[in-house]
Amino acid sequence: MLEWTRGQAVGEIDTPALILDIAAAERNIRAMADRLIHGSVRLRPHVKTHKCPLLAHKQMAAGAIGVTAAKLGEAEVMIRAGIPEVLVSTPIVGRTKIDRLLALSRHAIVLTVVDDVGAARAISDAATRVGQKIPVLVDVDVGQRRTGVLPGEPALALARQVATMPGLVLVGLQGYEGHLQHVQSRDEREAHWRASMEKLTDTADLIRGAGFPLDIVSTGGTGTSTFALEAPGITEIQPGSYVVMDDHYGTVQGVGFEQALFVLTTVVSRTRTTDVIVDAGMKALSSDSGPPRVRGIEGAQYVFAGDEHGRIEFADQGSNLRVGDRVLLVPSHCDTTINLHDHYHVIEDDRLVEVWPISARGRIR
Amino acid sequence: MLEWTRGQAVGEIDTPALILDIAAAERNIRAMADRLIHGSVRLRPHVKTHKCPLLAHKQMAAGAIGVTAAKLGEAEVMIRAGIPEVLVSTPIVGRTKIDRLLALSRHAIVLTVVDDVGAARAISDAATRVGQKIPVLVDVDVGQRRTGVLPGEPALALARQVATMPGLVLVGLQGYEGHLQHVQSRDEREAHWRASMEKLTDTADLIRGAGFPLDIVSTGGTGTSTFALEAPGITEIQPGSYVVMDDHYGTVQGVGFEQALFVLTTVVSRTRTTDVIVDAGMKALSSDSGPPRVRGIEGAQYVFAGDEHGRIEFADQGSNLRVGDRVLLVPSHCDTTINLHDHYHVIEDDRLVEVWPISARGRIR
């Protein structure tokens, strides 16, 4: 269904189209790896953002020790594409998913997280029946109020239980500080982050002190990755957005990666002097973090105008945008925008060089 | 990748899952057709909501004269599935799309809309080169401030131009009052609607008076469909949401269709007494119209907690939801939620009876 021609100029690509500036993405992949190269913190990047095995392989080639996935469905896509090790960063619950986890674990290293004794036991029991042992991290709530047991004694109590379960191997802790990734001020973000990480590393010390070795203490997104080098006790981070970035992260101080992701759209209507209508709406751009930014047109603002349209309003009514013109938008939230598209239109030097499937799009299970 | 077993109880379906109560959807399809059966207004339902050819065929069987699609990509899916007539309700701009329109028009009746002389001429020129004539409606802005020329003289001016173009046939007007669909008060909605429709039908009269016959005057969504019977001058309506409904439409007075669409989710974490975490977040539920509603749990509120999670907060802290339990959510916006999923899990009497592909999901071009 998708029509494209190698070598097309960006302005000739049919729209709406998700655009990946691959040189910028590769610089981002390299920059994150370089950031960690001299420290002891390793990189297990989160593929829930890009959902693309080839980008995961590029991250592995740059030094990642494996990848992180939000859902088993993403892990399946990555493992089938040859990624040898995946951490599933959300609890796996229910018989169907446990069976999938066990099937997948025969072909790659699959780690996962637990925050509930019953859910952990269900995995252990199923694994024991087929003679497997699943490596798990105890998930700790370091302030996000999402998944995870409380730090300290509750985490130790769960670790003790997990350690007795024959189908599990307790390998570490996970504490994702998702609530801090977008704190704009670098100093404020770092201060909150240190407090969060202290909870996590203190908990790791407590559990180790009780006689349970922990190889992994995993945390970290794009917004806090800049602090990871100076983080004693943290063994790895799992940032995702840095590969492509988005406008929301673009407002966070000191993140330091390049925008590599865009949505190309076409002006399809101009019946007023104050605005034009483009062909990318809520089915091409996620709205959970606000509207996208219009690139390269001073004072122009994008306003969502339904499922299939956006309105670009001008500060300067003299804008010369006409029907048929292309506009590049910077998505406000990369993860949810990428998940709306089936393909990356990969550009280099403003030319279309490849179209890559977003193979894990929609893998919400 | 998708695992399911015919006859599974709803509570056994792997999650997150988009659930379609087919008996309720069929009652909705019938109810809309019945609403129109004694009047002169015909039904051309919008398939941008359900994106599923089988549901479109059910609408045709109930009396629809054809369907409406937002994008050519949706029209392609419907026509390949045997739907004989599709109105593409947004302007078609650019050579690639015009070529697709012409290719498609050889196999079905494809109508589209124009609001720009240059864009209309581009279609006419291309059609003329291959000996085709494309039926078009002049798109009129009846107050939504999206696409469409202004009513009255500007619409007449465009109609005059279109009538001279050898590759086009002027067949009607479209004026979609999208801004009125969710006005909660029935009386207020009807008053605004009458004013909007007057603009549209006055414009139709003006154009007819100038010597241009117009067979079609198309308007109407789910929220205003209830008024369509009493609408002299309107020839057809194009509602979409009524088949499945959503929580946003559920708050609009006097709409009168049943909720047939749900997202099934699983409790994956409970580490606090005040809430649980479920496995459906912004990649399973659109957030543009607010959070989904929790069905069947008094006082429970869903709060988005990232791409893959929601937090269900209880008014009554004594809720007995546990890890592994299923919860049914009513999406706030059906169109954008359906567009996140690859399949409908079709249920009857609380059992899974079919899984249907959402074939036009992601067809944003």
Side-chain angles (χ1 to χ4, degrees), chain A residues 1 14-15 48 71 80 97 115 145-146 269 272 279 307 311 342 345 361 363 365, chain B residues 1 14-15 48 71 80 97 115 145-146 269 272 279 307 311 342 345 361 363 365:
Chain A
M1 308 290 291
D14 197 19
T15 64
K48 81 181 185 75
K71 295 285 176 98
R80 286 169 191 162
K97 289 199 178 71
D115 76 357
R145 281 192 66 220
R146 200 161 69 184
S269 175
R272 294 169 292 273
D279 65 357
D307 295 1
R311 185 183 298 114
D342 292 311
H345 294 74
R361 187 213 56 74
R363 298 297 167 95
R365 289 185 175 179
Chain B
M1 309 290 291
D14 196 18
T15 65
K48 81 182 186 76
K71 295 286 176 98
R80 286 168 191 163
K97 288 199 179 70
D115 76 357
R145 281 192 65 222
R146 201 161 71 183
S269 174
R272 292 168 294 274
D279 65 357
D307 295 1
R311 185 184 299 114
D342 292 311
H345 294 74
R361 186 213 56 75
R363 297 298 167 94
R365 290 185 174 179

Side-chain angles (χ1 to χ4, degrees), chain B residues 106-121:
Chain B
R106 293 186 52 238
H107 306 284
I109 299 169
V110 186
L111 306 91
T112 188
V113 304
V114 293
D115 76 357
D116 180 87
V117 174
R121 186 166 292 126

Side-chain angles (χ1 to χ4, degrees), chain A residues 163-293:
Chain A
T164 68
M165 296 181 189
L168 304 182
V169 184
L170 175 66
V171 296
L173 296 187
Q174 171 181 275
Y176 176 53
E177 72 287 26
H179 58 305
L180 303 180
Q181 298 304 321
H182 291 92
V183 173
Q184 291 201 354
S185 147
R186 189 189 191 286
D187 290 348
E188 196 184 330
R189 192 165 75 255
E190 185 168 4
H192 285 302
W193 178 79
R194 291 203 178 280
S196 263
M197 290 306 101
E198 206 173 287
K199 290 181 196 170
L200 186 61
T201 55
D202 284 357
T203 301
D205 290 345
L206 179 73
I207 293 172
R208 286 188 182 113
F212 305 102
L214 298 174
D215 291 339
I216 298 174
V217 180
S218 183
T219 184
T222 293
T224 57
S225 62
T226 183
F227 313 130
L229 260 186
E230 315 146 48
I234 301 302
T235 69
E236 60 184 63
I237 59 171
Q238 42 179 269
S241 303
Y242 74 98
V243 178
V244 293
M245 293 295 284
D246 59 34
D247 201 42
H248 195 188
Y249 263 123
T251 65
V252 178
Q253 287 175 10
V255 172
F257 297 98
E258 296 177 53
Q259 188 62 42
L261 187 78
F262 305 92
V263 168
L264 185 71
T265 186
T266 299
V267 176
V268 294
S269 175
R270 177 161 197 174
T271 61
R272 294 169 292 273
T273 57
T274 50
D275 64 80
V276 298
I277 299 296
V278 295
D279 65 357
M282 296 187 298
K283 287 180 180 168
L285 293 151
S286 64
S287 61
D288 54 84
S289 297
R293 180 165 54 82

Side-chain angles (χ1 to χ4, degrees), chain A residues 47-53 74 78 339 358-361, chain B residues 283:
Chain A
V47 298
K48 81 181 185 75
T49 304
H50 61 61
K51 290 179 170 281
C52 177
E74 295 171 347
M78 294 298 153
N339 191 51
I358 301 172
S359 311
R361 187 213 56 74
Chain B
K283 287 179 179 168

Side-chain angles (χ1 to χ4, degrees), chain A residues 1-3 13-17 48 51 70-71 74 76 80 90-91 93 96-97 100 115-116 119 141 144-149 266-269 271-272 274-275 277 279 282-284 287-288 305-309 311 313 323-324 333 335-336 339-342 345 361-365, chain B residues 1-3 13-17 48 51 70-71 74 76 80 90-91 93 96-97 100 115-116 119 141 144-149 266-269 271-272 274-275 277 279 282-284 287-288 305-309 311 313 323-324 333 335-336 339-342 345 361-365:
Chain A
M1 308 290 291
L2 190 75
E3 285 186 60
I13 298 170
D14 197 19
T15 64
K48 81 181 185 75
K51 290 179 170 281
K71 295 285 176 98
E74 295 171 347
E76 287 164 344
R80 286 169 191 162
T90 66
V93 172
T96 305
K97 289 199 178 71
R100 286 165 62 200
D115 76 357
D116 180 86
D141 179 2
Q144 190 182 20
R145 281 192 66 220
R146 200 161 69 184
T147 61
V149 286
T266 299
V267 176
V268 294
S269 175
T271 61
R272 294 169 292 273
T274 50
D275 64 80
I277 299 296
D279 65 357
M282 296 187 298
K283 287 180 180 168
S287 61
D288 54 84
D307 295 1
E308 305 288 2
H309 296 98
R311 185 183 298 114
E313 301 178 344
V323 171
H333 185 183
D335 306 69
T336 44
N339 191 51
L340 295 170
H341 293 264
D342 292 311
H345 294 74
R361 187 213 56 74
R363 298 297 167 95
I364 53 177
R365 289 185 175 179
Chain B
M1 309 290 291
L2 189 76
E3 285 185 60
I13 299 171
D14 196 18
T15 65
K48 81 182 186 76
K51 289 179 172 279
K71 295 286 176 98
E74 295 171 346
E76 287 164 344
R80 286 168 191 163
T90 66
V93 172
T96 305
K97 288 199 179 70
R100 286 166 61 200
D115 76 357
D116 180 87
D141 180 2
Q144 189 181 21
R145 281 192 65 222
R146 201 161 71 183
T147 60
V149 286
T266 299
V267 176
V268 294
S269 174
T271 62
R272 292 168 294 274
T274 51
D275 63 81
I277 299 296
D279 65 357
M282 295 188 299
K283 287 179 179 168
S287 61
D288 55 82
D307 295 1
E308 305 288 1
H309 296 99
R311 185 184 299 114
E313 300 178 344
V323 170
H333 185 182
D335 307 69
T336 45
N339 190 51
L340 295 170
H341 293 263
D342 292 311
H345 294 74
R361 186 213 56 75
R363 297 298 167 94
I364 53 178
R365 290 185 174 179

Side-chain angles (χ1 to χ4, degrees), chain B residues 241-322:
Chain B
S241 302
Y242 75 98
V243 178
V244 292
M245 292 294 284
D246 59 33
D247 201 42
H248 195 188
Y249 264 122
T251 65
V252 178
Q253 286 175 10
V255 172
F257 297 98
E258 294 176 56
Q259 188 62 42
L261 187 78
F262 305 92
V263 168
L264 185 71
T265 186
T266 299
V267 176
V268 294
S269 174
R270 176 160 196 176
T271 62
R272 292 168 294 274
T273 57
T274 51
D275 63 81
V276 299
I277 299 296
V278 295
D279 65 357
M282 295 188 299
K283 287 179 179 168
L285 293 151
S286 63
S287 61
D288 55 82
S289 298
R293 179 165 54 82
V294 180
R295 200 169 93 142
I297 305 175
E298 189 71 31
Q301 300 270 357
Y302 176 103
V303 178
F304 280 104
D307 295 1
E308 305 288 1
H309 296 99
R311 185 184 299 114
I312 296 183
E313 300 178 344
F314 310 120
D316 168 13
Q317 294 197 9
S319 161
N320 53 9
L321 277 183
R322 292 171 178 280

